[in-house]
PDB file of all heavy atoms in Angstrom:
ATOM      1  N   PRO A   1      53.338  96.877  66.661  1.00 96.00           N
ATOM      2  CA  PRO A   1      54.530  97.684  66.362  1.00 96.00           C
ATOM      3  C   PRO A   1      54.210  98.896  65.473  1.00 96.00           C
ATOM      4  O   PRO A   1      53.493  98.779  64.456  1.00 96.00           O
ATOM      5  CB  PRO A   1      55.440  96.689  65.612  1.00 96.00           C
ATOM      6  CG  PRO A   1      54.486  95.743  64.953  1.00 96.00           C
ATOM      7  CD  PRO A   1      53.279  95.639  65.853  1.00 96.00           C
ATOM      8  N   TYR A   2      54.765 100.042  65.824  1.00 96.00           N
ATOM      9  CA  TYR A   2      54.657 101.258  65.055  1.00 96.00           C
ATOM     10  C   TYR A   2      56.031 101.931  64.982  1.00 96.00           C
ATOM     11  O   TYR A   2      56.874 101.691  65.853  1.00 96.00           O
ATOM     12  CB  TYR A   2      53.678 102.252  65.697  1.00 96.00           C
ATOM     13  CG  TYR A   2      52.243 101.793  65.695  1.00 96.00           C
ATOM     14  CD1 TYR A   2      51.750 100.998  66.722  1.00 96.00           C
ATOM     15  CD2 TYR A   2      51.372 102.199  64.697  1.00 96.00           C
ATOM     16  CE1 TYR A   2      50.413 100.594  66.733  1.00 96.00           C
ATOM     17  CE2 TYR A   2      50.033 101.793  64.706  1.00 96.00           C
ATOM     18  CZ  TYR A   2      49.582 100.996  65.730  1.00 96.00           C
ATOM     19  OH  TYR A   2      48.269 100.607  65.724  1.00 96.00           O
ATOM     20  N   TYR A   3      56.209 102.735  63.950  1.00 95.00           N
ATOM     21  CA  TYR A   3      57.381 103.611  63.912  1.00 95.00           C
ATOM     22  C   TYR A   3      56.909 105.026  64.134  1.00 95.00           C
ATOM     23  O   TYR A   3      55.943 105.510  63.530  1.00 95.00           O
ATOM     24  CB  TYR A   3      58.101 103.493  62.551  1.00 95.00           C
ATOM     25  CG  TYR A   3      59.060 102.344  62.516  1.00 95.00           C
ATOM     26  CD1 TYR A   3      58.665 101.097  62.031  1.00 95.00           C
ATOM     27  CD2 TYR A   3      60.373 102.478  63.005  1.00 95.00           C
ATOM     28  CE1 TYR A   3      59.540 100.023  62.011  1.00 95.00           C
ATOM     29  CE2 TYR A   3      61.248 101.414  62.978  1.00 95.00           C
ATOM     30  CZ  TYR A   3      60.827 100.193  62.494  1.00 95.00           C
ATOM     31  OH  TYR A   3      61.694  99.129  62.486  1.00 95.00           O
ATOM     32  N   THR A   4      57.583 105.713  65.066  1.00 95.00           N
ATOM     33  CA  THR A   4      57.316 107.123  65.280  1.00 95.00           C
ATOM     34  C   THR A   4      58.403 107.911  64.533  1.00 95.00           C
ATOM     35  O   THR A   4      59.580 107.613  64.640  1.00 95.00           O
ATOM     36  CB  THR A   4      57.341 107.476  66.769  1.00 95.00           C
ATOM     37  OG1 THR A   4      58.602 107.128  67.353  1.00 95.00           O
ATOM     38  CG2 THR A   4      56.231 106.731  67.505  1.00 95.00           C
ATOM     39  N   VAL A   5      57.949 108.895  63.790  1.00 94.00           N
ATOM     40  CA  VAL A   5      58.864 109.736  63.005  1.00 94.00           C
ATOM     41  C   VAL A   5      58.528 111.201  63.304  1.00 94.00           C
ATOM     42  O   VAL A   5      57.366 111.605  63.186  1.00 94.00           O
ATOM     43  CB  VAL A   5      58.715 109.478  61.486  1.00 94.00           C
ATOM     44  CG1 VAL A   5      59.685 110.343  60.692  1.00 94.00           C
ATOM     45  CG2 VAL A   5      58.927 107.998  61.166  1.00 94.00           C
ATOM     46  N   THR A   6      59.533 111.956  63.701  1.00 94.00           N
ATOM     47  CA  THR A   6      59.278 113.379  64.027  1.00 94.00           C
ATOM     48  C   THR A   6      59.342 114.201  62.752  1.00 94.00           C
ATOM     49  O   THR A   6      60.322 114.108  61.990  1.00 94.00           O
ATOM     50  CB  THR A   6      60.321 113.888  65.038  1.00 94.00           C
ATOM     51  OG1 THR A   6      60.290 113.078  66.216  1.00 94.00           O
ATOM     52  CG2 THR A   6      60.037 115.323  65.417  1.00 94.00           C
ATOM     53  N   LYS A   7      58.290 115.013  62.539  1.00 92.00           N
ATOM     54  CA  LYS A   7      58.312 115.966  61.440  1.00 92.00           C
ATOM     55  C   LYS A   7      58.806 117.303  62.033  1.00 92.00           C
ATOM     56  O   LYS A   7      58.154 117.885  62.915  1.00 92.00           O
ATOM     57  CB  LYS A   7      56.942 116.151  60.821  1.00 92.00           C
ATOM     58  CG  LYS A   7      56.984 116.930  59.505  1.00 92.00           C
ATOM     59  CD  LYS A   7      55.606 117.059  58.876  1.00 92.00           C
ATOM     60  CE  LYS A   7      54.836 118.187  59.530  1.00 92.00           C
ATOM     61  NZ  LYS A   7      53.550 118.485  58.825  1.00 92.00           N
ATOM     62  N   ASP A   8      59.971 117.735  61.591  1.00 90.00           N
ATOM     63  CA  ASP A   8      60.630 118.896  62.174  1.00 90.00           C
ATOM     64  C   ASP A   8      60.390 120.172  61.373  1.00 90.00           C
ATOM     65  O   ASP A   8      60.000 120.124  60.191  1.00 90.00           O
ATOM     66  CB  ASP A   8      62.158 118.655  62.273  1.00 90.00           C
ATOM     67  CG  ASP A   8      62.522 117.763  63.454  1.00 90.00           C
ATOM     68  OD1 ASP A   8      61.584 117.240  64.111  1.00 90.00           O
ATOM     69  OD2 ASP A   8      63.715 117.563  63.697  1.00 90.00           O
ATOM     70  N   ARG A   9      60.644 121.256  62.030  1.00 86.00           N
ATOM     71  CA  ARG A   9      60.666 122.560  61.362  1.00 86.00           C
ATOM     72  C   ARG A   9      61.993 123.238  61.657  1.00 86.00           C
ATOM     73  O   ARG A   9      62.613 122.989  62.703  1.00 86.00           O
ATOM     74  CB  ARG A   9      59.506 123.422  61.841  1.00 86.00           C
ATOM     75  CG  ARG A   9      59.511 123.742  63.325  1.00 86.00           C
ATOM     76  CD  ARG A   9      58.364 124.628  63.718  1.00 86.00           C
ATOM     77  NE  ARG A   9      58.285 124.854  65.161  1.00 86.00           N
ATOM     78  CZ  ARG A   9      58.994 125.750  65.811  1.00 86.00           C
ATOM     79  NH1 ARG A   9      59.832 126.554  65.147  1.00 86.00           N
ATOM     80  NH2 ARG A   9      58.881 125.880  67.119  1.00 86.00           N
ATOM     81  N   LEU A  10      62.387 124.143  60.771  1.00 79.00           N
ATOM     82  CA  LEU A  10      63.628 124.883  60.988  1.00 79.00           C
ATOM     83  C   LEU A  10      63.462 125.889  62.117  1.00 79.00           C
ATOM     84  O   LEU A  10      62.373 126.453  62.311  1.00 79.00           O
ATOM     85  CB  LEU A  10      64.041 125.609  59.690  1.00 79.00           C
ATOM     86  CG  LEU A  10      64.486 124.714  58.533  1.00 79.00           C
ATOM     87  CD1 LEU A  10      64.644 125.540  57.275  1.00 79.00           C
ATOM     88  CD2 LEU A  10      65.796 124.003  58.869  1.00 79.00           C
ATOM     89  N   THR A  11      64.529 126.153  62.857  1.00 75.00           N
ATOM     90  CA  THR A  11      64.516 127.174  63.867  1.00 75.00           C
ATOM     91  C   THR A  11      64.700 128.545  63.200  1.00 75.00           C
ATOM     92  O   THR A  11      64.930 128.648  61.985  1.00 75.00           O
ATOM     93  CB  THR A  11      65.628 126.936  64.888  1.00 75.00           C
ATOM     94  OG1 THR A  11      66.880 126.854  64.200  1.00 75.00           O
ATOM     95  CG2 THR A  11      65.414 125.644  65.638  1.00 75.00           C
ATOM     96  N   LEU A  12      64.692 129.598  64.007  1.00 69.00           N
ATOM     97  CA  LEU A  12      64.788 130.962  63.452  1.00 69.00           C
ATOM     98  C   LEU A  12      66.081 131.198  62.710  1.00 69.00           C
ATOM     99  O   LEU A  12      66.148 131.984  61.762  1.00 69.00           O
ATOM    100  CB  LEU A  12      64.607 131.977  64.571  1.00 69.00           C
ATOM    101  CG  LEU A  12      63.206 132.055  65.181  1.00 69.00           C
ATOM    102  CD1 LEU A  12      63.192 133.042  66.346  1.00 69.00           C
ATOM    103  CD2 LEU A  12      62.176 132.444  64.135  1.00 69.00           C
ATOM    104  N   ASN A  13      67.138 130.545  63.167  1.00 62.00           N
ATOM    105  CA  ASN A  13      68.433 130.749  62.515  1.00 62.00           C
ATOM    106  C   ASN A  13      68.618 129.831  61.281  1.00 62.00           C
ATOM    107  O   ASN A  13      69.691 129.797  60.683  1.00 62.00           O
ATOM    108  CB  ASN A  13      69.593 130.526  63.470  1.00 62.00           C
ATOM    109  CG  ASN A  13      69.631 129.122  64.053  1.00 62.00           C
ATOM    110  OD1 ASN A  13      68.815 128.260  63.688  1.00 62.00           O
ATOM    111  ND2 ASN A  13      70.573 128.883  64.949  1.00 62.00           N
ATOM    112  N   LYS A  14      67.548 129.071  60.930  1.00 60.00           N
ATOM    113  CA  LYS A  14      67.569 128.220  59.725  1.00 60.00           C
ATOM    114  C   LYS A  14      68.650 127.133  59.804  1.00 60.00           C
ATOM    115  O   LYS A  14      69.122 126.653  58.764  1.00 60.00           O
ATOM    116  CB  LYS A  14      67.753 129.056  58.472  1.00 60.00           C
ATOM    117  CG  LYS A  14      66.749 130.195  58.304  1.00 60.00           C
ATOM    118  CD  LYS A  14      65.327 129.672  58.178  1.00 60.00           C
ATOM    119  CE  LYS A  14      64.340 130.798  57.932  1.00 60.00           C
ATOM    120  NZ  LYS A  14      62.958 130.325  57.864  1.00 60.00           N
ATOM    121  N   MET A  15      69.038 126.777  60.974  1.00 65.00           N
ATOM    122  CA  MET A  15      70.095 125.778  61.106  1.00 65.00           C
ATOM    123  C   MET A  15      69.522 124.453  61.652  1.00 65.00           C
ATOM    124  O   MET A  15      68.922 123.712  60.882  1.00 65.00           O
ATOM    125  CB  MET A  15      71.208 126.315  61.994  1.00 65.00           C
ATOM    126  CG  MET A  15      71.943 127.506  61.351  1.00 65.00           C
ATOM    127  SD  MET A  15      73.160 126.993  60.103  1.00 65.00           S
ATOM    128  CE  MET A  15      74.378 126.199  61.083  1.00 65.00           C
ATOM    129  N   PRO A  16      69.607 124.176  62.980  1.00 73.00           N
ATOM    130  CA  PRO A  16      69.022 122.904  63.453  1.00 73.00           C
ATOM    131  C   PRO A  16      67.507 122.934  63.363  1.00 73.00           C
ATOM    132  O   PRO A  16      66.903 123.957  63.076  1.00 73.00           O
ATOM    133  CB  PRO A  16      69.473 122.859  64.933  1.00 73.00           C
ATOM    134  CG  PRO A  16      70.530 123.886  65.063  1.00 73.00           C
ATOM    135  CD  PRO A  16      70.241 124.946  64.046  1.00 73.00           C
ATOM    136  N   THR A  17      66.887 121.789  63.602  1.00 82.00           N
ATOM    137  CA  THR A  17      65.446 121.696  63.544  1.00 82.00           C
ATOM    138  C   THR A  17      64.889 121.251  64.907  1.00 82.00           C
ATOM    139  O   THR A  17      65.606 120.720  65.728  1.00 82.00           O
ATOM    140  CB  THR A  17      64.992 120.683  62.478  1.00 82.00           C
ATOM    141  OG1 THR A  17      65.539 119.394  62.811  1.00 82.00           O
ATOM    142  CG2 THR A  17      65.483 121.094  61.116  1.00 82.00           C
ATOM    143  N   VAL A  18      63.593 121.519  65.110  1.00 87.00           N
ATOM    144  CA  VAL A  18      62.909 121.111  66.320  1.00 87.00           C
ATOM    145  C   VAL A  18      61.575 120.478  65.903  1.00 87.00           C
ATOM    146  O   VAL A  18      61.060 120.755  64.824  1.00 87.00           O
ATOM    147  CB  VAL A  18      62.670 122.310  67.278  1.00 87.00           C
ATOM    148  CG1 VAL A  18      63.969 122.830  67.834  1.00 87.00           C
ATOM    149  CG2 VAL A  18      61.889 123.402  66.573  1.00 87.00           C
ATOM    150  N   PRO A  19      61.006 119.605  66.755  1.00 92.00           N
ATOM    151  CA  PRO A  19      59.772 118.928  66.376  1.00 92.00           C
ATOM    152  C   PRO A  19      58.595 119.896  66.121  1.00 92.00           C
ATOM    153  O   PRO A  19      58.407 120.875  66.837  1.00 92.00           O
ATOM    154  CB  PRO A  19      59.482 118.027  67.569  1.00 92.00           C
ATOM    155  CG  PRO A  19      60.822 117.786  68.190  1.00 92.00           C
ATOM    156  CD  PRO A  19      61.562 119.072  68.006  1.00 92.00           C
ATOM    157  N   GLN A  20      57.840 119.597  65.064  1.00 92.00           N
ATOM    158  CA  GLN A  20      56.619 120.328  64.761  1.00 92.00           C
ATOM    159  C   GLN A  20      55.387 119.457  64.977  1.00 92.00           C
ATOM    160  O   GLN A  20      54.358 119.904  65.453  1.00 92.00           O
ATOM    161  CB  GLN A  20      56.657 120.841  63.325  1.00 92.00           C
ATOM    162  CG  GLN A  20      55.462 121.634  62.917  1.00 92.00           C
ATOM    163  CD  GLN A  20      55.565 122.140  61.487  1.00 92.00           C
ATOM    164  OE1 GLN A  20      56.194 121.500  60.650  1.00 92.00           O
ATOM    165  NE2 GLN A  20      54.945 123.281  61.197  1.00 92.00           N
ATOM    166  N   SER A  21      55.508 118.186  64.618  1.00 95.00           N
ATOM    167  CA  SER A  21      54.415 117.230  64.832  1.00 95.00           C
ATOM    168  C   SER A  21      55.032 115.844  64.837  1.00 95.00           C
ATOM    169  O   SER A  21      56.234 115.671  64.571  1.00 95.00           O
ATOM    170  CB  SER A  21      53.350 117.352  63.732  1.00 95.00           C
ATOM    171  OG  SER A  21      53.919 117.044  62.470  1.00 95.00           O
ATOM    172  N   LEU A  22      54.226 114.849  65.140  1.00 95.00           N
ATOM    173  CA  LEU A  22      54.708 113.455  65.180  1.00 95.00           C
ATOM    174  C   LEU A  22      53.929 112.610  64.198  1.00 95.00           C
ATOM    175  O   LEU A  22      52.690 112.637  64.172  1.00 95.00           O
ATOM    176  CB  LEU A  22      54.566 112.873  66.581  1.00 95.00           C
ATOM    177  CG  LEU A  22      55.163 111.472  66.754  1.00 95.00           C
ATOM    178  CD1 LEU A  22      56.705 111.564  66.757  1.00 95.00           C
ATOM    179  CD2 LEU A  22      54.677 110.799  68.021  1.00 95.00           C
ATOM    180  N   LEU A  23      54.670 111.852  63.376  1.00 96.00           N
ATOM    181  CA  LEU A  23      54.043 110.903  62.470  1.00 96.00           C
ATOM    182  C   LEU A  23      54.141 109.518  63.099  1.00 96.00           C
ATOM    183  O   LEU A  23      55.189 109.105  63.556  1.00 96.00           O
ATOM    184  CB  LEU A  23      54.780 110.894  61.123  1.00 96.00           C
ATOM    185  CG  LEU A  23      54.961 112.250  60.441  1.00 96.00           C
ATOM    186  CD1 LEU A  23      55.761 112.089  59.155  1.00 96.00           C
ATOM    187  CD2 LEU A  23      53.605 112.902  60.147  1.00 96.00           C
ATOM    188  N   ILE A  24      53.004 108.808  63.125  1.00 96.00           N
ATOM    189  CA  ILE A  24      52.980 107.428  63.618  1.00 96.00           C
ATOM    190  C   ILE A  24      52.642 106.524  62.444  1.00 96.00           C
ATOM    191  O   ILE A  24      51.600 106.659  61.817  1.00 96.00           O
ATOM    192  CB  ILE A  24      51.962 107.261  64.750  1.00 96.00           C
ATOM    193  CG1 ILE A  24      52.376 108.125  65.941  1.00 96.00           C
ATOM    194  CG2 ILE A  24      51.867 105.796  65.160  1.00 96.00           C
ATOM    195  CD1 ILE A  24      51.485 107.975  67.158  1.00 96.00           C
ATOM    196  N   VAL A  25      53.603 105.647  62.131  1.00 96.00           N
ATOM    197  CA  VAL A  25      53.472 104.767  60.963  1.00 96.00           C
ATOM    198  C   VAL A  25      53.216 103.349  61.432  1.00 96.00           C
ATOM    199  O   VAL A  25      54.005 102.783  62.193  1.00 96.00           O
ATOM    200  CB  VAL A  25      54.769 104.801  60.117  1.00 96.00           C
ATOM    201  CG1 VAL A  25      54.572 103.997  58.841  1.00 96.00           C
ATOM    202  CG2 VAL A  25      55.181 106.251  59.812  1.00 96.00           C
ATOM    203  N   ASP A  26      52.124 102.778  61.010  1.00 96.00           N
ATOM    204  CA  ASP A  26      51.845 101.366  61.312  1.00 96.00           C
ATOM    205  C   ASP A  26      52.860 100.510  60.561  1.00 96.00           C
ATOM    206  O   ASP A  26      52.904 100.506  59.310  1.00 96.00           O
ATOM    207  CB  ASP A  26      50.421 101.015  60.893  1.00 96.00           C
ATOM    208  CG  ASP A  26      49.990  99.651  61.403  1.00 96.00           C
ATOM    209  OD1 ASP A  26      50.779  98.694  61.299  1.00 96.00           O
ATOM    210  OD2 ASP A  26      48.846  99.535  61.878  1.00 96.00           O
ATOM    211  N   ALA A  27      53.722  99.811  61.292  1.00 95.00           N
ATOM    212  CA  ALA A  27      54.791  99.027  60.663  1.00 95.00           C
ATOM    213  C   ALA A  27      54.261  97.849  59.848  1.00 95.00           C
ATOM    214  O   ALA A  27      55.002  97.267  59.060  1.00 95.00           O
ATOM    215  CB  ALA A  27      55.760  98.536  61.733  1.00 95.00           C
TER     216      ALA A  27
END
């Protein structure tokens, strides 16, 4: 079992976010 957590970055309008990389955490 692992947890995947998305590390996001802000979009150009500084509002919603989109994925920048993926963190995989050994549960």
Side-chain angles (χ1 to χ4, degrees):
Y2 293 86
Y3 276 93
T4 58
V5 181
T6 303
K7 192 178 81 173
D8 282 5
R9 61 179 175 84
L10 292 171
T11 56
L12 291 176
N13 61 3
K14 306 297 183 183
M15 293 282 291
T17 61
V18 293
Q20 182 179 29
S21 62
L22 185 73
L23 308 177
I24 297 183
V25 185
D26 190 315

